[in-house]
Amino acid sequence: MRCIALVLGMLVMAPGSLLGQSLFNAAGLGSPSEPLDARTRALGGVGIGLQGSALLGSDPAAAAFYTLPAGFLTAQPSWVEFERSDRAEEGTFQGTRFPALGIAYPTVHSLVATLAFESFLDQRFESSDPSTITLDGNPVNVDDSFVSRGGISQLRLGLARRLGRRVAVGVSAARYTGSLTRRAQRIFHEGVDTTSVGAFQSGGFWSYSGASVTTGGSVFLGNVAHLAGSLTWSGALDATATDDTDGASRSYDIPVQLRLGATAVLAPGLSVSAGLARADWSSVDDDLRSGASAGVVSSYGFGVELSRASILGRSAPLRLGYRKTDLPFGLKGGTPTETVWAGGLGLNLSQVGELVRAGVEVALERGERSDSALSEKFWRSTLTVRVAGF
Amino acid sequence: MHHVTRTKMAMLLGLTALGSVACAEISPTSVDPEFLPDKPTSVMVSLSWEEFGSNLEVYGGFGDVYELREGMLARSFGGVLDARTLVRFYTLSTSATVTDSTGTSVTDTLLSLRGGRIVAFMDTVASVASGPVTLELGSLRQPWHGPSASWSMAVDTVGGQVPWIQPGAGPVERIATAVWDPAQGDSVVFFLDTTAVKLFRDTTEVSRGVLLGMLTPGARLKVNDVGLRATVHASLADSLLELTSAWEALTFLYTPEPGAAGNEVRVGGVPAWRTTLDLAVPAILTGPPALCAAVGCPVELTAARLIYAALVLSSQGMDAAFRPSDSLGVDVRAVHDPSALPKSPLGSALIGGYGKMIAPDLFSAGEGTDVEIPITNFVRAILHAETVDGFPPPYSLAILTALEPSSLAFASFAGPGTPKAPRLKLLVTTSPSVELP
């Protein structure tokens, strides 16, 4: 009952929609909003291959190491400075995502069941273009704007199991969910009687559906190395327009995604990790009405963890990492790239032996996203709250 | 138990932290036109009377002069208009509270009338006078009925009709004259002797009343208010007092009646005119060329694409007699039962307040000026085939003054069949449907 109450409490606290953190959200189907926890972010991870238990959609086998019921919630505020390559515009924005929340529950026969709600693609952005038009021979100031609000999420149900002491496997099925509102608007200003002339609006609402399956496994090589891999197959992502939406419903082919990761223990309390992910988004090209995908995109990252560090007598692992990620969609062709230097720590607030019953993990990233049209420099913080054994 | 408490504290700490970081959102926003999928196109469309209008009718007789609660004075204004104002005052008080020689407040019922005056207040904006104007004040000689009195009739009710002995509330027994100079202020004072004051305060005199007239030709004055002030001497104190009396009935008579409406849109006057017309809004637009060039024709005209709709009326020059001398508030209302016109119930005011204010010079030097009367929601209901309340939309409009009646003056606009016939102006904005990427 406590478990259920905890999860319900987290759901109440978490906003339902994703909030934008990049102008690259305007490209193609948006920019990835990977549901990674703070530990993975701090280690420059791609979502697989870290030692210990984790509830990650990209690493279904990692849940096999939960021995107690556990739940977590991740929040991710960002502060972004952007500049167009033509230097015609620069500015700042900030936003907070809640990329993942979920629970893991050990059941019979060493099976661990998982349920998670994860972000996938962020499509939130706004644009505005003030201009002057001519009506009846008279100049009229208008402000054209476009608002895209929403994104694609996944509701994931998984099972993981250890096979002996060295091997773990996992599988999860996810249903795409989320929605998107796109609205164009023209507001009239000087030049007409603004008390009588209204605003023009046109737009629509789409809801997302579809399914994907992720399977993965991991193996320990003695006590010094841990290897993991996963494969995600996705069915079509369907965007269904409401009856009163003029725009059409559409369907997109989401590519297979492959991930590999590894961790090596260099010394007691000191480990390094690395990961690699790859997906070919060119399959979406035929489905896109505008813009184009970046084709084959890959991500890699590596990090180092000092797990024996402590603060005020409590275990507080320190982490450093680097990651480079290609974004699947660009604004004007080409492949946008995100590079990040990251650092972070964990704080185990309640621990019994090796079991962490309550902990907070924080990651802070300094990075840059850019392509030929736009450059964004950002600070991104990730905060994950974990509880277990309730 | 210890661990449970720590767990709860950890959760509380974490959730508090999450709540704090979730504040202060600023969406990713750019002014780069590249981020706009498709810009809307806006075109102003003007439909001729033949394309949208029919069944224009002018109806008169709404309200009467008495409802205006104001007076009017004119003499040969515009060469034709004469107007006189009739006033009946409430009785003056026959007692007053005074302070006697011992300093005590007492009621004095033995007041001695010493004289008095009648003060008239003019509307300096709505009045038309090129200089000082001489006015006369007289007493009436026959009973009159304020709500029904007219230039020819003193009483004109279902129960009885009594003409004036002479048209125009005559003959008039002149009591005083005075000069009103518009440059000196808004009031004019007629001084009265005790006989005149007694006449106006005598409630047994059925014909009691004051007539205000004009001796100077070529002016038209609007009288906002008239008051009677009597000077009396107190018997219990050596002091003069002033007693005041407001009007009980205030109206005016005028001649001639305005001519019948011709091929025009006539609005206002007293009794007031209304103009009704039927609208037919095309569902498909095949022009003008600017629209077709911008978005291609034919274009479906939908409620969502209609940003603004206005009835465009062209003001006409008018004879001075009934030409507006102050702004006229014009409004439009839906006609709910055109078959019952002119007695059809009307909908609520589409503009509201004082309506669309129209400057008076549009009917003289500014004749031919276009006046736009917004009717966006009315036209949207037609395009949507129902009102916002889900009822079938009305297709008939009544154009009338916002306050009816509002003044002796009325407005006239060019009617159908003239070069400046009414038009329907539509601001149409379209854009390609918003699609997914």
Side-chain angles (χ1 to χ4, degrees):
Chain A
M1 284 302 290
R2 284 183 176 178
C3 171
I4 295 171
L6 174 67
V7 173
L8 287 176
M10 287 180 166
L11 286 171
V12 169
M13 283 293 297
S17 60
L18 301 173
L19 300 176
Q21 293 178 311
S22 174
L23 279 172
F24 285 99
N25 294 352
L29 291 179
S31 64
S33 175
E34 295 169 290
L36 304 179
D37 58 15
R39 183 185 178 215
T40 305
R41 287 284 183 192
L43 288 170
V46 298
I48 195 166
L50 302 184
Q51 280 189 316
S53 58
L55 212 172
L56 294 166
S58 51
D59 189 4
F65 300 100
Y66 280 110
T67 56
L68 292 173
F72 79 102
L73 170 63
T74 297
Q76 192 174 74
S78 290
W79 298 264
V80 184
E81 301 171 358
F82 74 93
E83 183 178 23
R84 277 159 48 184
S85 55
D86 59 5
R87 298 185 182 278
E89 184 189 8
E90 60 182 19
T92 62
F93 51 85
Q94 64 191 67
T96 301
R97 290 173 175 154
F98 291 84
L101 63 88
I103 58 171
Y105 204 90
T107 62
V108 296
H109 303 303
S110 300
L111 278 173
V112 178
T114 60
L115 176 65
F117 188 61
E118 305 168 345
S119 60
F120 181 48
L121 289 168
D122 192 350
Q123 299 178 309
R124 181 184 176 105
F125 74 96
E126 296 179 17
S127 63
S128 107
D129 181 24
S131 60
T132 300
I133 64 172
T134 301
L135 287 177
D136 261 359
N138 301 313
V140 176
N141 293 335
V142 298
D143 192 0
D144 295 321
S145 62
F146 185 82
V147 176
S148 173
R149 287 206 173 97
I152 305 164
S153 306
Q154 296 184 93
L155 184 62
R156 184 180 300 280
L157 187 63
L159 284 174
R161 189 178 191 278
R162 295 183 67 165
L163 303 175
R165 294 183 57 227
R166 296 181 180 277
V167 178
V169 295
V171 62
S172 65
R175 175 180 169 76
Y176 291 116
T177 183
S179 62
L180 179 64
T181 300
R182 289 165 70 85
R183 186 181 72 240
Q185 177 172 277
R186 166 167 284 181
I187 297 175
F188 294 82
H189 296 293
E190 293 83 5
V192 296
D193 180 2
T194 53
T195 61
S196 302
V197 177
F200 168 78
Q201 285 193 346
S202 176
F205 182 86
W206 292 262
S207 56
Y208 289 108
S209 62
S212 69
V213 174
T214 301
T215 182
S218 65
V219 59
F220 284 91
L221 302 178
N223 293 323
V224 296
H226 172 228
L227 301 178
S230 73
L231 187 71
T232 298
W233 172 88
S234 179
L237 171 66
D238 297 319
T240 305
T242 55
D243 291 340
D244 56 350
T245 295
D246 291 334
S249 299
R250 301 186 69 81
S251 186
Y252 305 93
D253 287 333
I254 302 299
V256 170
Q257 297 175 66
L258 175 66
R259 302 175 197 87
L260 296 171
T263 298
V265 179
L266 303 180
L270 175 62
S271 61
V272 294
S273 58
L276 174 68
R278 184 182 184 279
D280 185 358
W281 285 85
S282 58
S283 59
V284 185
D285 272 345
D286 294 340
D287 306 322
L288 288 177
R289 177 175 160 270
S290 60
S293 75
V296 177
V297 298
S298 59
S299 304
Y300 68 87
F302 50 83
V304 57
E305 183 175 41
L306 293 168
S307 58
R308 290 191 175 179
S310 64
I311 296 177
L312 300 176
R314 296 188 180 281
S315 176
L318 292 176
R319 298 150 186 154
L320 292 172
Y322 171 83
R323 176 175 146 140
K324 183 174 182 181
T325 306
D326 295 335
L327 302 184
F329 303 100
L331 292 168
K332 292 182 178 177
T335 303
T337 301
E338 176 183 293
T339 55
V340 168
W341 286 99
L345 60 84
L347 187 60
N348 297 337
L349 299 174
S350 176
Q351 189 169 359
V352 178
E354 293 297 314
L355 292 175
V356 179
R357 296 173 61 101
V360 177
E361 292 168 354
V362 178
L364 183 63
E365 298 169 275
R366 176 61 173 170
E368 181 174 3
R369 283 181 290 263
S370 61
D371 70 356
S372 60
L374 180 71
S375 172
E376 292 180 341
K377 292 181 179 178
F378 60 89
W379 287 98
R380 180 167 60 201
S381 173
T382 305
L383 176 71
T384 298
V385 180
R386 297 181 184 279
V387 291
F390 34 79
Chain B
M1 190 66 189
H2 181 64
H3 293 301
V4 172
T5 302
R6 285 187 173 181
T7 302
K8 288 179 178 176
M9 290 186 64
M11 289 171 55
L12 183 62
L13 176 64
L15 294 176
T16 302
L18 293 182
S20 64
V21 299
C23 302
E25 293 291 337
I26 302 175
S27 294
T29 304
S30 172
V31 296
D32 187 349
E34 292 285 334
F35 287 84
L36 282 171
D38 290 297
K39 293 190 71 168
T41 301
S42 299
V43 175
M44 198 68 86
V45 177
S46 181
L47 299 181
S48 67
W49 172 257
E50 291 73 19
E51 291 175 299
F52 83 93
S54 62
N55 296 332
L56 186 139
E57 297 283 351
V58 179
Y59 298 98
F62 296 95
D64 55 52
V65 173
Y66 191 70
E67 294 178 48
L68 287 175
R69 301 168 65 83
E70 66 187 32
M72 184 69 66
L73 301 172
R75 183 180 181 89
S76 297
F77 180 68
V80 295
L81 181 67
D82 290 328
R84 293 171 177 173
T85 294
L86 306 184
V87 191
R88 180 181 292 128
F89 295 103
Y90 287 107
T91 183
L92 282 166
S93 175
T94 56
S95 63
T97 300
V98 299
T99 303
D100 64 14
S101 56
T102 65
T104 305
S105 293
V106 295
T107 301
D108 190 343
T109 59
L110 297 173
L111 303 175
S112 301
L113 188 61
R114 295 295 174 87
R117 60 192 191 279
I118 286 176
V119 184
F121 298 90
M122 308 300 176
D123 185 329
T124 56
V125 174
S127 296
V128 182
S130 57
V133 179
T134 301
L135 307 177
E136 65 172 342
L137 183 144
S139 62
L140 296 171
R141 293 185 175 181
Q142 69 179 99
W144 56 283
H145 179 239
S148 64
S150 64
W151 186 265
S152 57
M153 305 296 288
V155 179
D156 190 4
T157 65
V158 176
Q161 294 183 319
V162 180
W164 294 109
I165 298 171
Q166 288 182 0
V172 178
E173 183 177 330
R174 182 180 299 168
I175 297 173
T177 62
V179 175
W180 178 61
D181 186 348
Q184 297 300 313
D186 67 346
S187 59
V188 59
V189 180
F190 298 91
F191 291 97
L192 307 175
D193 57 22
T194 56
T195 304
V197 177
K198 286 178 181 176
L199 177 66
F200 298 140
R201 67 186 290 187
D202 184 0
T203 57
T204 64
E205 173 54 60
V206 294
S207 64
R208 87 181 193 281
V210 173
L211 181 143
L212 291 174
M214 182 183 292
L215 299 177
T216 306
R220 188 180 70 189
L221 310 183
K222 179 183 172 186
V223 183
N224 280 341
D225 195 11
V226 185
L228 172 62
R229 297 173 185 178
T231 305
V232 296
H233 183 266
S235 64
L236 301 178
D238 186 17
S239 58
L240 290 175
L241 308 175
E242 186 167 272
L243 306 178
T244 62
S245 176
W247 56 262
E248 174 188 308
L250 174 64
T251 188
F252 65 90
L253 324 170
Y254 69 89
T255 191
E257 297 283 341
N263 183 21
E264 63 180 315
V265 174
R266 184 180 285 190
V267 176
V270 59
W273 279 277
R274 299 173 179 175
T275 299
T276 65
L277 56 99
D278 293 345
L279 272 78
V281 184
I284 301 292
L285 295 175
T286 55
L291 176 69
C292 298
V295 298
C297 286
V299 176
E300 184 183 5
L301 181 57
T302 63
R305 288 174 172 171
L306 181 69
I307 306 305
Y308 172 72
L311 195 61
V312 182
L313 304 175
S314 178
S315 65
Q316 289 193 133
M318 299 171 59
D319 293 337
F322 296 98
R323 182 193 302 155
S325 53
D326 196 359
S327 295
L328 201 64
V330 173
D331 211 328
V332 283
R333 295 171 182 259
V335 178
H336 287 317
D337 184 4
S339 65
L341 283 171
K343 297 181 178 179
S344 166
L346 302 181
S348 57
L350 297 185
I351 297 177
Y354 292 103
K356 173 81 174 184
M357 300 306 291
I358 300 174
D361 62 354
L362 266 59
F363 305 96
S364 53
E367 68 171 310
T369 301
D370 285 345
V371 174
E372 293 186 15
I373 301 176
I375 53 170
T376 308
N377 288 336
F378 183 86
V379 177
R380 276 183 178 157
I382 292 176
L383 293 171
H384 199 55
E386 67 177 21
T387 66
V388 292
D389 301 320
F391 293 105
Y395 292 87
S396 294
L397 265 183
I399 311 169
L400 66 169
T401 51
L403 302 173
E404 191 180 66
S406 65
S407 69
L408 176 64
F410 58 85
S412 178
F413 304 93
T418 65
K420 303 284 279 184
R423 290 175 288 125
L424 184 62
K425 188 174 182 179
L426 307 173
L427 174 51
V428 179
T429 299
T430 67
S431 72
S433 63
V434 175
E435 301 281 355
L436 288 171

